[in-house]
Amino acid sequence: MTASQTHSPAIVLPTSDAKFGDYQANGIMAAAKRAKTNPRELAGNVLAALDLTDLAEKVEIAGPGFINVTLSDRFLADHLSRAADDDRLDVAVAADPQNVVVDYSGPNLAKEMHVGHLRSTIIGDAIANVLEFLGNRVFRQNHVGDWGTQFGMLIAYMDRQVDCGQDATAELADLEVFYRQAKQLFDSDADFARSARENVVKLQGGDESCLRRWRQFLDQSMSHCEGIYHRLGVSLQRSDMRGESAYNDDLPAVVADLKAAGLLTESDGAQCVFLPEFTGHNDSPLPLIVQKTDGGYLYATTDLAAIRYRVRHLKADRIIYTTDAGQALHFKQVFAVARKAGFVGNATSLEHVPFGVMLDAEGRRFRTRQGGTVKLMELLDEAERRAADVVAEKNPDLPDQTKRRIAHAVGIGAVKYADLSMDRISDYKFSWDKMLALQGNTAPYMQYAYARVRSIFRKGAEDAGQLLGEPISLADPAERELAKLIARLEETLATVAAECRPNFLTAYLFALATAFSNFYETCPVLNAPPPLRASRLRLCDLTACVIKKGLELLGIEVVEKM
RNA sequence: GCGCCCGUAGCUCAAUUGGAUAGAGCAGUGGCCUUCUAAGCCGCAGGUUACAGGUUCGAGCCCUGUCGGGCGUACCA
């Protein structure tokens, strides 16, 4: 009532301190100011108009005008019962689902994937998963680099291989070597360089034999990416790949549209869009170049074409770009031009979701000792190797196959979790020791918490399904704290989706796992007397389900034992 | 030069966008395994949130300035 009168949001959040109850409403003070009334008085009026008897045990006014709410155990227990009986864990499907495009990963198919692709791939996938789970229609778009001059060179090198009687397909298996050798030849052999350049012209001209070899190369390269995605537990499929070349035919139309809209200016022979809000050196106008002097197009043009496609054909309500922060200006320009040109209306939101760079322990850019880029495949090998060492040390008696499975889940999970648990925008220091640490906000800690729950069920030979009707008791503070956190999944996911901030989910899961550990220490489960035993088993099962679901949305596996 | 981002405990990072006494992990220090996985749990100690002003009931968060770092700034992506 008050909120609607003053247009002030209620701002209900978990309390900053347990002594204030479970949730606090922070909006009263601001509302009172706007309405020029006393905040505590206003809080009193709100309370009088509010009926929280269904969910609250206690509601009180505190401090300058906070409203503190203590949930009733009954309300919490009811919620938990619903969650336990629901594979969505009582998280509602969006009432107004959106068509959301998430543009992420986007490797260059001319080369092997390297660590530079890791953050976009992991963060974008987590965001896509969460949005999808909340009921939105998600279009994962892998805007791969599958076009450009380097492909002329690669095709020329394929030809050279075949001429030498070698099987080009086998050679392609190591994309990095293939690229390096092609580049070397391009730089040293004038004949080769000429045929490479001719190939570019042929490709653009639609030469069928050239296109066939180009597709053959792409097929190999895409298989390599799929291998990485599969190993990483990333949901991207080949059908999500819609590379730059997919927009080739649209590029002239994009430029024509810009011209028709009166936005196009020729400058130094290039076709540009100048918008007054963008300036460069010495306040000189800064163009968005959409066509080079030689007639070629740039990634701004492709991005504009992609926006057009996503709005027209995918009916996007929201388009999310997960790229490094260095591209902020590019996207600002592209978004502004897309709106001016009418490619996208006000109903569609365009969001650049930036992230910082990966640094090594010394705070330098993450590179190999020789200064080259680190191959993603090799990074993942090392992750699993290091995880395997830890598993072997902690749990030498497990069967080898189990150890391997744990090493995979823990190693890959550690790399992903470390990335996802940081605030995206800051650069982050990559540290094997920290991400594989068994304490703190890490994947192994989460996975361990899960394995401990599962162990209880194994030991008790219990089936969670049999517990459905059993009442949940929250008498112990550790039980209640755990229940409260379990009930917080939905609001957490909503925030992650709204802000594109996976680290809110990891922080939530860490709090949940910590609460569980506490519960685990203080509340015996299997040895508890009958009604309590079932109640605690239900809390255990719910904890496991939430951890599993949360990690699954982050693309991280759980294991039954570790 | 201009623009964007960042600066929080010795170290690595949080802080749900303006809420109450700034939180974790590591490192330091003291406890807890005859009972469900100790890869765990519970204490203690550690802070002028780079600095200086400002806005207001309230600022790590907003505004102005300064210092320090990163990135970007016309035909790469």
Side-chain angles (χ1 to χ4, degrees):
Chain A
M1 175 190 80
T2 308
S4 65
Q5 280 171 358
T6 60
H7 303 288
S8 300
I11 317 180
V12 180
L13 295 168
T15 50
S16 56
D17 191 312
K19 77 181 177 208
F20 298 133
D22 300 322
Y23 284 84
Q24 58 184 52
N26 299 328
I28 300 293
M29 282 83 83
K33 174 175 237 170
R34 217 160 307 186
K36 296 191 175 18
T37 64
N38 176 295
R40 284 191 68 103
E41 196 176 307
L42 178 60
N45 293 342
V46 171
L47 270 196
L50 213 57
D51 182 9
L52 297 177
T53 46
D54 284 347
L55 64 143
E57 174 190 307
K58 192 168 70 176
V59 184
E60 56 189 7
I61 302 167
F66 295 100
I67 295 179
N68 292 337
V69 178
T70 303
L71 300 174
S72 67
D73 288 359
R74 167 80 179 277
F75 174 79
L76 275 173
D78 284 352
H79 173 82
L80 262 49
S81 287
R82 279 198 308 279
D85 196 16
D86 175 10
D87 55 12
R88 296 186 52 82
L89 296 164
D90 206 30
V91 173
V93 175
D96 52 342
Q98 292 186 305
N99 290 341
V100 187
V101 169
V102 186
D103 181 329
Y104 66 105
S105 196
N108 179 356
L109 293 184
K111 294 190 199 179
E112 192 169 335
M113 283 184 80
H114 58 85
V115 289
H117 304 112
L118 188 63
R119 300 205 78 187
S120 176
T121 303
I122 290 173
I123 295 168
D125 201 50
I127 291 169
N129 290 341
V130 170
L131 284 163
E132 195 164 61
F133 180 66
L134 292 177
N136 300 286
R137 180 153 185 218
V138 172
F139 298 94
R140 293 168 177 77
Q141 292 284 286
N142 195 353
H143 196 81
V144 295
D146 62 356
W147 199 249
T149 53
Q150 49 204 332
F151 287 96
M153 176 183 89
L154 293 165
I155 291 166
Y157 193 67
M158 284 169 79
D159 291 342
R160 178 73 61 108
Q161 293 289 305
V162 174
D163 290 347
C164 298
Q166 289 180 21
D167 182 352
T169 314
E171 284 292 323
L172 279 184
D174 193 336
L175 284 170
E176 202 62 23
V177 171
F178 193 86
Y179 183 91
R180 208 175 323 126
Q181 289 172 346
K183 181 80 169 72
Q184 199 174 5
L185 212 51
F186 184 84
D187 292 336
S188 63
D189 182 332
D191 284 349
F192 180 82
R194 193 179 327 109
S195 70
R197 277 190 280 269
E198 281 166 10
N199 279 336
V200 176
V201 176
K202 283 190 201 164
L203 271 179
Q204 283 165 348
D207 179 275
E208 205 33 65
S209 118
C210 230
L211 283 171
R212 197 172 56 244
R213 282 166 295 164
W214 172 69
R215 288 193 202 97
Q216 187 189 349
F217 182 90
L218 289 185
D219 187 61
Q220 285 283 317
S221 187
M222 287 191 278
S223 294
H224 160 77
C225 290
E226 286 173 314
I228 296 260
Y229 295 146
H230 178 74
R231 198 169 168 197
L232 264 177
V234 161
S235 64
L236 282 169
Q237 306 290 315
R238 191 168 287 218
S239 55
D240 300 319
M241 290 191 188
R242 192 176 168 85
E244 294 168 339
S245 67
Y247 301 102
N248 280 351
D249 294 345
D250 297 340
L251 301 179
V254 166
V255 175
D257 284 356
L258 292 172
K259 185 170 187 129
L263 291 167
L264 213 58
T265 308
E266 185 173 322
S267 174
D268 293 344
Q271 298 302 317
C272 306
V273 179
F274 288 96
L275 294 181
E277 59 265 43
F278 298 106
T279 53
H281 292 283
N282 305 320
D283 290 338
S284 61
L286 185 70
L288 183 72
I289 303 177
V290 294
Q291 191 168 21
K292 296 192 283 184
T293 305
D294 69 3
Y297 300 99
L298 299 100
Y299 86 134
T301 331
T302 316
D303 272 335
L304 286 169
I307 287 179
R308 258 180 22 145
Y309 169 79
R310 291 162 185 180
V311 170
R312 290 181 187 179
H313 295 96
L314 303 180
K315 310 290 179 201
D317 299 306
R318 188 177 178 194
I319 309 177
I320 292 166
Y321 296 82
T322 311
T323 79
D324 69 275
Q327 296 186 47
L329 177 60
H330 165 74
F331 282 110
K332 224 182 233 178
Q333 289 185 291
V334 167
F335 293 170
V337 170
R339 292 212 189 271
K340 277 251 160 62
F343 295 159
V344 51
N346 289 331
T348 301
S349 87
L350 299 169
E351 301 169 33
H352 180 220
V353 173
F355 52 82
V357 297
M358 263 169 65
L359 305 172
D360 63 19
E362 283 74 41
R364 298 169 307 212
R365 284 189 94 93
F366 196 83
R367 292 272 157 80
T368 60
R369 224 180 295 271
Q370 291 75 31
T373 51
V374 177
K375 294 183 189 182
L376 207 33
M377 209 49 115
E378 289 178 2
L379 185 90
L380 301 183
D381 285 342
E382 184 165 0
E384 293 195 37
R385 195 166 59 240
R386 284 173 180 264
D389 290 346
V390 179
V391 175
E393 182 196 330
K394 297 286 180 190
N395 243 326
D397 299 332
L398 290 172
D400 283 353
Q401 201 191 349
T402 308
K403 274 194 228 165
R404 270 199 300 279
R405 206 164 47 231
I406 296 170
H408 170 74
V410 170
I412 302 295
V415 169
K416 297 183 75 172
Y417 195 97
D419 197 324
L420 293 165
S421 61
M422 306 287 178
D423 183 23
R424 284 183 343 248
I425 195 67
S426 47
D427 295 343
Y428 97 91
K429 284 192 184 168
F430 188 94
S431 160
W432 288 115
D433 290 344
K434 290 209 166 66
M435 69 178 65
L436 284 165
L438 311 154
Q439 53 280 102
N441 190 11
T442 66
Y445 179 86
M446 293 305 310
Q447 289 163 323
Y448 178 68
Y450 178 83
R452 286 215 289 186
V453 183
R454 299 306 306 153
S455 169
I456 292 174
F457 280 85
R458 265 198 310 279
K459 197 129 200 166
E462 295 286 346
D463 176 8
Q466 293 167 353
L467 299 164
L468 277 183
E470 301 287 342
I472 293 175
S473 141
L474 303 174
D476 191 287
E479 292 173 315
R480 196 174 182 285
E481 184 62 23
L482 183 57
K484 204 163 79 178
L485 279 158
I486 291 169
R488 238 166 236 181
L489 175 64
E490 180 168 18
E491 65 196 54
T492 302
L493 293 178
T495 311
V496 171
E499 319 265 340
C500 295
R501 295 276 302 272
N503 69 312
F504 287 166
L505 180 52
T506 60
Y508 163 76
L509 291 173
F510 182 55
L512 175 69
T514 304
F516 173 76
S517 293
N518 197 325
F519 162 85
Y520 184 88
E521 296 288 329
T522 56
C523 299
V525 177
L526 294 175
N527 293 333
L532 194 54
R533 184 175 190 271
S535 166
R536 288 182 173 170
L537 277 166
R538 297 196 73 188
L539 284 175
C540 287
D541 183 53
L542 273 164
T543 302
C545 289
V546 172
I547 290 175
K548 187 177 183 181
K549 175 55 76 179
L551 289 179
E552 179 190 310
L553 294 175
L554 297 172
I556 294 171
E557 293 171 33
V558 293
V559 286
E560 296 299 305
K561 291 181 190 175
M562 67 184 281

